[in-house]
Amino acid sequence: MKKSISLLMVLFVILLLVACSNDENNDKSEVDSTEEAASNEELTKMKVAYMPNYASMNAVVAGINTGAFEEQGIEVELVEFADGPTIIAAMESGSIDVGYIGPGAHVLAIQGSADIFAFAHLGNADEVIGNKENGVREISDLKGKTIAVASGTSSETILNMTLNEAGLTEEDVKLMDMDASAIVTAMISGSVDAAATWSPNTTAIKEEMGDNAIMLSNNVRYADQFPSIASWVVNPKYAEENHDLLVKFTKGLYGGMDYRVENLDEVAKWSAEVAGLDAESVKKETGDGDWITSDDLVEMIENGDIDIFYEVQQENFMTEERLTEDELVPVSDYVLFDIMKEAAE
């Protein structure tokens, strides 16, 4: 009888321990689920505009894939655009939070439509390409020819400098204003004699046209006269209201920049996946810019190089009559150096 009572007591204790264990596991599971939900709630969603090329995508895509943005509590939603002016217009409407622009669209920042919160790089993605079959083999052959270009972009700037080198003006040629995809089609079909565009359009044109496509000029040709600056921009009102968030985003961007420098091909693969492009084609774009680290950027800010780049850019816009002398402003009016510095701390 005593043995039976003892056995029952042992069984009771075992059942009690199992029940407590299950309660603890359930409690832990509930806590884990709560913490996970809270963690997800803490992520701030940001809509980020990019263009489908390596130069535009590499830092932000690397920041996403390495978790650099998530570490800052940010969830990035990428939205594709064809060019910088359209991105700035989208920010003005409130449909985009921040975005990447090439050199040409910087005139809008100088005029007050956007603030620059991060210097991206000096680029070499723009080219003026001639069609040999249509009689364009050198810059001077552009006289009287039809040239496709997207107005307001960095490629238009390179085209103007190319024409100027040959002593030509826009009045000496026939310009056709087109969007990026239309430029590629027009060149390949032979309906235009030359085109001013950027990567990956330049790669697509040269691959399709073969020897009939000749590169007449690019950013490097005019680097001493026109630094081809790419930047990350934001609407001024958004910047004023979201200073801390911009600092966090820039920290994430820095993480992507630093990873990219040592992993160009891997980041090219990631970029291709995001934009639905061929990975090998995107890898060919890894030479489209001077890729720097966050430490390099801070050094360039401290030694004044960044200031000089943007000052020269303003002078060039004025020379091109895209800016008037009255529109020239101090670089610090539209370049948020405080964001760049705080993000590096």
Side-chain angles (χ1 to χ4, degrees):
M1 182 70 177
K2 289 181 179 180
K3 288 184 179 179
S4 299
I5 293 173
S6 298
L7 182 59
L8 287 172
M9 290 180 67
V10 169
L11 290 173
F12 176 76
V13 170
I14 291 172
L15 289 172
L16 186 62
L17 290 173
V18 170
C20 289
S21 175
N22 286 337
D23 287 343
E24 288 178 1
N25 288 335
N26 289 336
D27 289 344
K28 184 177 184 301
S29 177
E30 289 176 5
V31 169
D32 289 345
S33 298
T34 302
E35 288 178 350
E36 183 179 352
S39 175
N40 289 335
E41 288 174 5
E42 289 172 5
L43 291 179
T44 301
K45 292 184 179 181
M46 292 183 68
K47 289 189 175 182
V48 179
Y50 74 96
M51 289 174 272
N53 57 63
Y54 185 81
S56 174
M57 300 174 67
N58 59 60
V60 68
V61 169
I64 293 170
N65 284 26
T66 59
F69 288 111
E70 189 172 354
E71 287 177 7
Q72 298 301 319
I74 293 173
E75 179 183 341
V76 172
E77 179 184 343
L78 292 174
V79 184
E80 184 177 314
F81 285 81
D83 54 61
T86 308
I87 288 173
I88 290 176
M91 289 192 303
E92 289 176 344
S93 72
S95 61
I96 290 295
D97 296 319
V98 300
Y100 167 102
I101 62 170
H106 280 67
V107 68
L108 297 173
I110 298 166
Q111 292 171 331
S113 295
D115 283 340
I116 294 165
F117 68 89
F119 175 88
H121 58 262
L122 293 178
N124 189 36
D126 300 290
E127 295 181 14
V128 177
I129 301 174
N131 185 337
K132 288 183 181 179
E133 282 192 335
N134 290 9
V136 180
R137 295 174 176 271
E138 55 188 43
I139 295 174
S140 59
D141 293 333
L142 291 173
K143 185 174 183 178
K145 299 295 185 180
T146 300
I147 305 173
V149 62
S151 63
T153 65
S154 53
S155 295
E156 182 182 30
T157 301
I158 296 301
L159 174 59
N160 288 334
M161 299 188 80
T162 303
L163 294 174
N164 184 63
E165 181 180 335
L168 303 174
T169 68
E170 291 185 357
E171 295 179 356
D172 296 314
V173 297
K174 181 180 179 182
L175 297 181
M176 294 191 68
D177 192 1
M178 301 181 177
D179 64 30
S181 59
I183 288 175
V184 175
T185 302
M187 270 298 284
I188 293 173
S189 68
S191 59
V192 295
D193 306 310
T197 189
W198 57 88
S199 177
N201 305 327
T202 51
T203 301
I205 289 170
K206 288 182 284 189
E207 286 182 348
E208 288 293 326
M209 294 181 63
D211 292 340
N212 285 324
I214 181 169
M215 193 270 286
L216 302 175
S217 63
N218 61 6
N219 301 97
V220 169
R221 189 181 184 99
Y222 307 111
D224 59 333
Q225 307 168 53
F226 189 90
S228 183
I229 307 169
S231 302
W232 286 90
V233 296
V234 63
N235 184 268
K237 183 179 179 181
Y238 185 98
E240 184 178 346
E241 297 174 351
N242 297 276
H243 177 92
D244 292 345
L245 180 58
L246 278 181
V247 171
K248 291 179 180 179
F249 181 86
T250 306
K251 282 180 180 288
L253 203 59
Y254 284 174
M257 289 168 61
D258 293 343
Y259 185 84
R260 164 204 63 194
V261 170
E262 300 295 333
N263 303 276
L264 294 177
D265 287 350
E266 182 180 20
V267 176
K269 180 182 177 182
W270 291 342
S271 299
E273 290 171 354
V274 170
L277 302 171
D278 176 67
E280 291 304 314
S281 296
V282 177
K283 282 183 182 180
K284 294 177 183 178
E285 300 172 19
T286 56
D288 286 351
D290 179 21
W291 316 122
I292 60 174
T293 65
S294 57
D295 287 341
D296 294 332
L297 176 52
V298 171
E299 182 179 349
M300 291 165 69
I301 293 172
E302 291 177 347
N303 66 24
D305 285 348
I306 300 294
D307 258 307
I308 293 172
F309 289 151
Y310 287 116
E311 286 172 0
V312 172
Q313 185 182 59
Q314 284 200 50
E315 293 169 3
N316 287 326
F317 283 140
M318 189 174 69
T319 300
E320 296 172 5
E321 298 183 350
R322 296 185 62 191
L323 279 178
T324 66
E325 190 170 355
D326 292 339
E327 291 177 304
L328 298 181
V329 296
V331 170
S332 58
D333 279 9
Y334 62 97
V335 179
L336 308 179
F337 290 110
D338 58 334
I339 298 288
M340 292 184 239
K341 291 177 180 178
E342 285 183 47
E345 294 175 354

